[in-house]
Amino acid sequence: MGKYWNEEIECMSREDMKKLQSERLVAQVRHVWDNVPYYRRLMEEKGVTPDDINGIEDLHKLPFLTKADLRDAYPYGLLAKPLADCVRIQSTSGTTGKRVVAFYTQHDIDLWDDCCARAITAAGGTREDVCQVCYGYGLFTGGPGLNGGSHKVGCLTLPMSSGNTERQIQFMRDLGSTILCCTPSYAAYIGETLHDMGYGPEDIKLKAGIFGAEPWTEEMRHEIERLLGIKAYDIYGLTEISGPGVSFECEEQTGMHINEDHFIAEIIDPNTGEVLPEGSKGELVFTSITKEAFPLLRYRTRDICVLTRKKCSCGRTLVKMSKPMGRSDDMLIIKGVNVFPSQIESVLLKMSKATPNYQIIVDRVNNTDTFEIRVELSDDMLSDTIKSIEDLEKKIAADIHSILGIRAKIRLVEPKSIPRSEGKAVRVIDKRKLV
Ligand code: DLL
């Protein structure tokens, strides 16, 4: 196998790609119109019908979809195929109440696996490799996505999931893993543990890592590369659009190639919705043109980035996106889990003795996220015993854990000690320097 998983697509001329995207877009709009009343209504409200969409130049006429639409339409409202044709669901991490649920037919799983196979091949993977997948398995797309890609490439796949780091290292050594797939923070942790166990890069066979699902810096890349003696590749994706493999990095390591035969990317101004020219920084919007069960048109990712078509030395012509530089909403990614401050607020509002005055403090210590929530006590709580204050702390911690699936350190603080703001409350202090 060569350097590409699918050379014809990955190195296709601009003109041919536009043609392919246009054909697929026209068919996809018709499929959605015919099968998804929710989106049809959005189109009607905008005065657009499938007859108005004759190619990618007409994409801007279509309405946007947002996470709020997905929650409104939960669970089946955006499904475009009979449930009997679906074989899988996946879901986003850490959202409360109505989670975002994405559906897949077997065809959708195949194309997703294919995208991940392209990423693994771009990182130098072949059927000779041993690929250790330590993304979480389950509703999260990380494990299943890279697992599928690894199978497709023909690597010997180790479906480890995350956790039990010493055992990860033992398997890595015993089975000679050559490719590691996990979040960048877990990769750094594995690297540190390797050293703590008295080993170094010379004691393992790893050559490459495929890391994503959360923001990470160039400094962190160098640190992971040093600790594990590998080349570290970025990978991007989101549950709504399929999962990991929407875009992937090549050996040039200057951005991620978007799998444009499946996903059309646009950059918009997050405030006005206006489409911005190439090279502008703005919100990334995706239209999935090949998915059957859950085909989202003009889905606003809230990720801020830049697209470029500058020639890439790897030979791929697929457009490249920069690392996400932030979000146009207030979502945080802590320990790989998507966290909205409103989820924390809703926990606090349920407790009579805590006030909804809080601050979230996130930092990164030894490459691991720390997550602290400071909550103001109500005045009448001040006269309570230490024991009842501790009980409240525990109750908040347990509720946060049950909603988000990760633990936060809760610190109850005196009334009025969290600074008030005259404008928007400063709810989040993110000390991690991720961009
Ligand atoms: O994180 C899918 C994934 C799994 C990607 C494994 C890569 C590897 P969600 O849980 O739905 O899906 O979260 C999607 O995570 O909108 C970005 O804000 C962020 N994100 C994903 N990849 C990257 C990355 C998976 N490489 C949200 N760099 C997205 C920065 C990333 N942020």
Side-chain angles (χ1 to χ4, degrees), residues 39 42 46 62-66 69 266 268 272-275 285 297-300:
Y39 198 76
L42 292 184
K46 229 183 160 220
L62 290 169
F64 292 117
L65 276 173
T66 64
D69 289 306
E266 298 170 277
I268 62 160
T272 63
E274 182 202 349
V275 179
V285 173
L297 306 183
R298 300 198 88 202
Y299 181 67
R300 293 185 58 165

Side-chain angles (χ1 to χ4, degrees), residues 92-93 135 140-142 212-215 234-240 244 303 324 327 333 338:
T92 49
S93 53
Y135 285 110
F140 178 55
T141 53
E214 62 183 5
D234 205 349
I235 184 166
Y236 168 91
L238 59 165
T239 315
E240 298 91 312
D303 289 318
R327 304 219 5 126
I333 303 181
N338 302 347

Side-chain angles (χ1 to χ4, degrees), residues 211-408:
F211 308 129
E214 62 183 5
W216 53 310
T217 56
E218 282 306 314
E219 291 72 39
M220 192 156 168
R221 187 202 303 265
H222 297 142
E223 174 71 357
I224 296 170
E225 291 186 332
R226 184 186 67 78
L227 285 169
L228 292 170
I230 59 171
K231 188 155 172 158
Y233 296 82
D234 205 349
I235 184 166
Y236 168 91
L238 59 165
T239 315
E240 298 91 312
I241 297 299
S242 69
V246 171
S247 66
F248 61 96
E249 215 171 39
C250 63
E251 73 259 18
E252 205 186 78
Q253 296 183 315
T254 53
M256 294 172 272
H257 290 285
I258 296 174
N259 283 312
E260 286 183 279
D261 52 326
H262 298 301
F263 316 108
I264 304 177
E266 298 170 277
I267 291 286
I268 62 160
D269 177 329
N271 299 313
T272 63
E274 182 202 349
V275 179
L276 300 177
E278 190 193 320
S280 318
K281 184 168 156 182
E283 182 180 333
L284 185 58
V285 173
F286 281 115
T287 297
S288 63
I289 45 177
T290 48
K291 277 179 66 178
E292 293 178 339
F294 202 67
L296 300 189
L297 306 183
R298 300 198 88 202
Y299 181 67
R300 293 185 58 165
T301 64
R302 302 289 175 185
D303 289 318
I304 303 290
C305 70
V306 176
L307 296 181
T308 172
R309 293 202 178 276
K310 250 190 237 141
K311 200 167 172 343
C312 186
S313 60
C314 76
R316 289 179 184 80
T317 49
L318 299 172
V319 68
K320 277 204 289 202
M321 60 179 270
S322 65
K323 270 180 179 299
M325 302 160 171
R327 304 219 5 126
S328 67
D329 60 10
D330 56 0
M331 188 182 93
L332 295 157
I333 303 181
I334 306 174
K335 299 180 185 175
V337 171
N338 302 347
V339 176
F340 288 92
S342 55
Q343 295 174 292
I344 289 159
E345 198 162 312
S346 69
V347 167
L348 299 178
L349 283 169
K350 280 190 214 124
M351 318 244 165
S352 57
K353 303 225 160 172
T355 67
N357 289 318
Y358 67 95
Q359 218 160 30
I360 303 168
I361 293 132
V362 196
D363 205 346
R364 193 162 274 179
V365 179
N366 296 332
N367 290 312
T368 305
D369 290 338
T370 60
F371 178 23
E372 178 180 310
I373 306 171
R374 292 188 189 152
V375 186
E376 271 184 19
L377 284 169
S378 56
D379 281 323
D380 59 331
M381 189 75 189
L382 270 186
S383 52
D384 280 17
T385 59
I386 293 186
K387 164 93 175 52
S388 57
I389 292 180
E390 280 173 358
D391 285 349
L392 179 62
E393 240 169 37
K394 279 190 199 144
K395 172 91 180 82
I396 297 175
D399 283 13
I400 296 280
H401 182 244
S402 85
I403 284 194
L404 300 176
I406 51 171
R407 290 187 197 284

